[in-house]
Structures are given as C-alpha cells and as structure tokens.
Amino acid sequence: MLEKSNHIIIIGAGIGGMTTALCLRHFGIKASLYERSSQVTTAGAGIQLSPNAHRVLSYIGLTDKIAAVSRRCKGVKIFDYKSDSQMALLDYLNFKSNDLFSFCHRADLVSILYEACKKQEIPVHFNKKFEKITDGKAIFSDGETLFADLIIGADGLHSNARKIVFGEVKAIFTKQIAWRAIVPNSINQCDFAHVILAPKRHIVSYPIRDGRQLNLVLIKEQNDWQPDGWRHLEDPSVVKENFKDFSGKTAKIIDSIEDVYKWGLFRYPLRKNWYKDRVVLIGDAAHPTLPFLAQGAAMAIEDSFVLASKFSEFPTILSAFTEFQSDRLPRVQRVINASAKNARTFHLSNTIARLVFHTILQLFSKFLPRLLLKRFNWIYDKDVTN
Ligand SMILES: Cc1cc2nc3c(=O)[nH]c(=O)nc-3n(C[C@H](O)[C@H](O)[C@H](O)COP(=O)(O)OP(=O)(O)OC[C@H]3O[C@@H](n4cnc5c(N)ncnc54)[C@H](O)[C@@H]3O)c2cc1C
C-alpha cells in the first residue's frame, strides 16, 4: 500500500481526475489535483451516466446529489429518419428498474465532484498546466516544478501526461464529424433518449436539467479532415443542410438549432501499457473512445475506482500499476470495439442491409424486448466496486 507520506498528484480536475481523488480519499490516500483552467469548467453539453458509472459515484456517496440534478433515463427509442417512426424501444425502466441510468448536464456533474473534493479537503490547484517531467519533477507552464512519488495523468483527450508514457501518438481521423447543441424541448420528449438512424448519419437527443432542454449530438460521415477539439463554433445552416431530409419531430428540433459546435472524431490506437516510471494514465488520456456507446466518462469513472483500490491493496506502486492495467485493458478494449461497431451499424447505407437491420430491430423490440437489452448487460451490469 502507498505510504501516507507519499506525494501524489493528479493532472486534470475533470470527471476522471476528481473521481480518482475522491476514490483515493475513500481508501485513506491523499492526493492533490492540478488543473490547467482557472476553475472547473466544462462544455455546455449533456452526459449519459450509465449504471456501471453510477455504482462508483454511489460508492463515494454522490448518488443523491447527482439524482437531484439529473433526469432518470427510462430507456432508448430508435427511429428511422425518413418515416420518423419508432423501430425499437430499449425499455430500461421495465426490465432494469433497479439500475440507475440518468441524463445529466456536464457542468452539474463536474460541480458536484468539485464540491465533494472541497468537502474532503482535497487540494485543487487551478491555472496549473502540466507540461512535462524533467529530472523526476513535474513541470507546469507557469514555471513551477514539483516532486511527486506518483503522477496520475487524467488530463483528457489532448493529454500531456500521455506523451510521457506513450511518446507522440498520432490520432487517426475516423471520417466522421459531430455537432452538439442544446435546444428547447419543443417536442416534449420525455425521459427516453432518441436515436435517429439515417444512411451515414445519426442523431442522439435526450432531455436535460428540468426537461425543458434537449441535448443533441449529430454525427455524419465525411471524408475531409476537421480540426481536433470540440469547441469550434459552426454555422447552424450547415447542420440544417446536412440533416434536411430528416422528418417529423426530428426536423422540428433540427430547425430550432441556434448555437452549435462541431468537432472531428479521432481514433487513438489503444496501447497495452498505460504507465511508465511513476506516471499512470486514466480515462481519455489512456484510452479515448468514440462516443457511440456513451461510455467514455463511465470508463474514466471505473478506472478511478479500480486504480485507487489497487493502491490500497498492493504493496508497491509497480504492482498496483500492473494490476490496474491487467484489470482494465480487456474491458476498455471491448468498449472501444463495440463503440466503433455501433457507428457502422447506425450508419448503414446499403438499402438491403438497412432493411434487414431495421426489421431485426423491430422484431426483437416487439417479441424479445428483454433480449434486445441483454446485449448491453456486459457494459451496464459491471460493478467495479464489488
Ligand atoms: C459529444 C460527446 C458526448 C459524450 N457523451 C458521453 C456520455 O454520454 N457518457 C459518457 O460516459 N461519456 C461521454 N463522452 C465521453 C466523455 O466526455 C469523456 O470520455 C470524459 O470526459 C473523459 O474524462 P477524463 O476525466 O478522462 O477527461 P476530461 O473530462 O476531458 O478531463 C480532463 C481535464 O484535464 C484538464 N487538462 C487537460 N490538459 C491539462 C494539462 N496539461 N494540465 C492540467 N490539466 C489539464 C482539462 O482542463 C480537464 O479538466 C462524450 C464525449 C463527447 C465528445
């Protein structure tokens, strides 16, 4: 087990970083967070919190706080873009009523984590952009240098900590771009996520906060490269043009888009080793995934608990790293693969393949609804705290 006197720093006070600090504290281990921004901020967007993520958040005592600001997800409805007709229903409420699945605003989740850190007296240092390690010391962009026995890189997709562990990694453009927007819930969408499928495109929408707003993510296949990152403002007319053949209620919400951001979707090759010397990576820094299963944050949250528990259990940092790695790699690999596969089935463009897929969806939804949900059991039933 780590010594009480060990100096542990976590780079990045995002979802994974703060959850890690809270999990470590749960095991009696102290750590400090170093965040490049001047406060805990996050993009104005929604996040789906699946039961596997909720189990960790519940373990660190945050369930009630999160429930107070989120909406319970009752299931997922899948629609065809042209007819606007419902093809399938994944009915969580009926078949998985004991599991908590919710829609949350990212800003709400991040501020709950931050308040919990403050309550636990976990130091969060702002305006601290981690640059590199020199002579065993962490170097920040303001010139501060810091010795640490252990550095946890939770600095997200564009991680600097990753460079220490992996070297320079080239991201591969997946030929898919995405837009995100928050629009008024003018169609009174209730507490189900909607997934609207079209050739080479799909849209996901779900209600957030008091239900008066919808979080929208629109994805389209496109060959040309887009700048990385996800804060590029887009002209709403570009989105409307790209999705103009969607009908019914989906057309109505597309029409109401005013502020919209775009980003390119990139794939990073999954490495087998997420640590080097005293640095270990978690979350998007270690293993970014495409957003087609809504599991990126859930994986960061699971990582947080598993890493903290290994530190409490194993005698050396190296043995904890090794155990963490072998525990997490197969699961993360499976999630990444399943997410990429979802993109392919969502975007089928061959008419016959689409027809077959949609018919199977409809039949399962009508006659074997429990079986349709069962496909996701390996993701949602996982309890890393157990
Ligand atoms: C459109 C979209 C929708 C998504 N929806 C879902 C969903 O519904 N459910 C889900 O589970 N996942 C979802 N994800 C994925 C999820 O957002 C990420 O996987 C998750 O935020 C990763 O958490 P993290 O802590 O690893 O990184 P982040 O949340 O990105 O946090 C990284 C933190 O590190 C800080 N930082 C960065 N660089 C430095 C540095 N050099 N020094 C110091 N600090 C630094 C950042 O400011 C930030 O605070 C979605 C992603 C996208 C793009």
Side-chain angles (χ1 to χ4, degrees):
M1 185 176 169
L2 284 170
E3 301 290 328
K4 288 235 174 334
S5 58
N6 280 151
H7 186 214
I8 303 171
I9 66 173
I10 301 173
I11 309 295
I15 296 170
M18 288 194 284
T19 309
T20 303
L22 291 163
C23 289
L24 283 168
R25 181 55 63 98
H26 186 87
F27 289 105
I29 301 167
K30 287 186 179 170
S32 309
L33 287 146
Y34 289 79
E35 166 60 43
R36 70 173 169 191
S37 308
S38 56
Q39 53 184 323
V40 283
T41 52
T42 184
I47 190 160
Q48 300 177 54
L49 286 174
S50 51
N52 48 317
H54 267 297
R55 288 185 192 102
V56 174
L57 298 168
S58 156
Y59 197 91
I60 53 175
L62 299 181
T63 305
D64 291 347
K65 290 206 160 55
I66 292 170
V69 296
S70 58
R71 303 187 70 80
R72 181 154 194 190
C73 164
K74 296 179 178 164
V76 178
K77 294 178 178 176
I78 304 176
F79 296 88
D80 175 65
Y81 78 113
K82 212 162 202 168
S83 60
D84 198 35
S85 57
Q86 185 178 315
M87 297 188 289
L89 165 66
L90 293 132
D91 193 351
Y92 300 142
L93 197 63
N94 258 330
F95 297 125
K96 293 245 169 215
S97 55
N98 293 331
D99 290 344
L100 193 55
F101 204 132
S102 49
F103 305 129
C104 192
H105 196 291
R106 265 164 198 273
D108 295 338
L109 173 63
V110 160
S111 43
I112 287 170
L113 290 167
Y114 180 52
E115 288 306 318
C117 286
K118 280 205 295 196
K119 201 169 163 200
Q120 297 283 341
E121 296 179 359
I122 294 168
V124 185
H125 305 275
F126 292 106
N127 297 310
K128 289 288 172 193
K129 183 174 181 214
F130 170 77
E131 295 286 354
K132 57 184 177 180
I133 294 185
T134 304
D135 298 332
K137 288 188 179 140
I139 314 278
F140 293 88
S141 59
D142 60 358
E144 182 175 349
T145 62
L146 204 63
F147 173 80
D149 297 293
L150 170 61
I151 298 175
I152 300 172
D155 48 347
L157 196 58
H158 304 287
S159 166
N160 277 345
R162 183 194 292 138
K163 292 180 194 155
I164 293 161
V165 180
F166 298 158
E168 284 294 339
V169 178
K170 195 161 163 37
I172 302 153
F173 181 50
T174 61
K175 299 191 176 169
Q176 295 171 94
I177 62 166
W179 293 271
R180 69 183 159 84
I182 292 182
V183 296
N185 187 358
S186 56
I187 58 168
N188 291 325
Q189 182 174 332
C190 55
D191 293 331
F192 287 84
H194 288 184
V195 180
I196 305 102
L197 306 183
K200 301 189 177 193
R201 289 159 299 161
H202 79 275
I203 296 178
V204 178
S205 70
Y206 53 86
I208 49 172
R209 289 198 163 148
D210 57 7
R212 279 184 291 176
Q213 292 178 317
L214 290 178
N215 184 74
L216 277 190
V217 178
L218 309 95
I219 313 267
K220 176 180 181 265
E221 292 180 18
Q222 188 167 297
N223 281 335
D224 54 334
W225 184 88
Q226 296 291 319
D228 208 351
W230 67 318
R231 284 175 200 255
H232 304 281
L233 255 182
E234 175 69 290
D235 178 349
S237 65
V238 174
V239 186
K240 291 176 189 178
E241 178 62 25
N242 275 296
F243 292 84
K244 66 179 179 199
D245 49 350
F246 281 56
S247 66
K249 57 189 172 318
T250 315
K252 191 171 175 189
I253 53 176
I254 293 170
D255 200 44
S256 67
I257 292 175
E258 284 180 0
D259 297 319
V260 58
Y261 294 83
K262 71 171 172 187
W263 75 105
L265 296 179
F266 286 77
R267 194 165 56 75
Y268 292 76
L270 180 65
R271 300 298 179 103
K272 302 240 173 319
N273 217 357
W274 305 342
Y275 59 87
K276 186 176 175 188
D277 303 329
R278 287 171 291 117
V279 184
V280 64
L281 306 175
I282 65 150
D284 277 5
H287 47 69
T289 173
L290 291 169
F292 305 126
L293 265 183
Q295 280 296 306
M299 289 303 105
I301 291 169
E302 285 187 6
D303 281 354
S304 304
F305 181 89
V306 175
L307 184 65
S309 68
K310 300 298 182 198
F311 284 138
S312 80
E313 207 179 322
F314 287 89
T316 63
I317 288 180
L318 184 62
S319 55
F321 279 177
T322 315
E323 288 296 323
F324 167 68
Q325 179 74 75
S326 59
D327 194 317
R328 296 299 295 152
L329 186 64
R331 176 159 172 81
V332 166
Q333 173 86 71
R334 197 171 171 196
V335 165
I336 289 175
N337 292 346
S339 190
K341 193 171 162 208
N342 253 5
R344 291 192 292 275
T345 40
F346 281 2
H347 293 180
L348 286 172
S349 55
N350 176 291
T351 315
I352 296 172
R354 270 174 66 76
L355 189 68
V356 171
F357 174 57
H358 290 186
T359 309
I360 292 172
L361 259 185
Q362 283 164 355
L363 290 174
F364 268 84
S365 180
K366 193 162 183 192
F367 300 111
L368 297 164
R370 199 183 282 271
L371 213 60
L372 195 61
L373 264 186
K374 223 175 157 185
R375 284 188 57 231
F376 301 97
N377 281 357
W378 66 274
I379 304 175
Y380 302 147
D381 288 356
K382 179 82 176 176
D383 184 358
V384 294
T385 67
N386 196 342

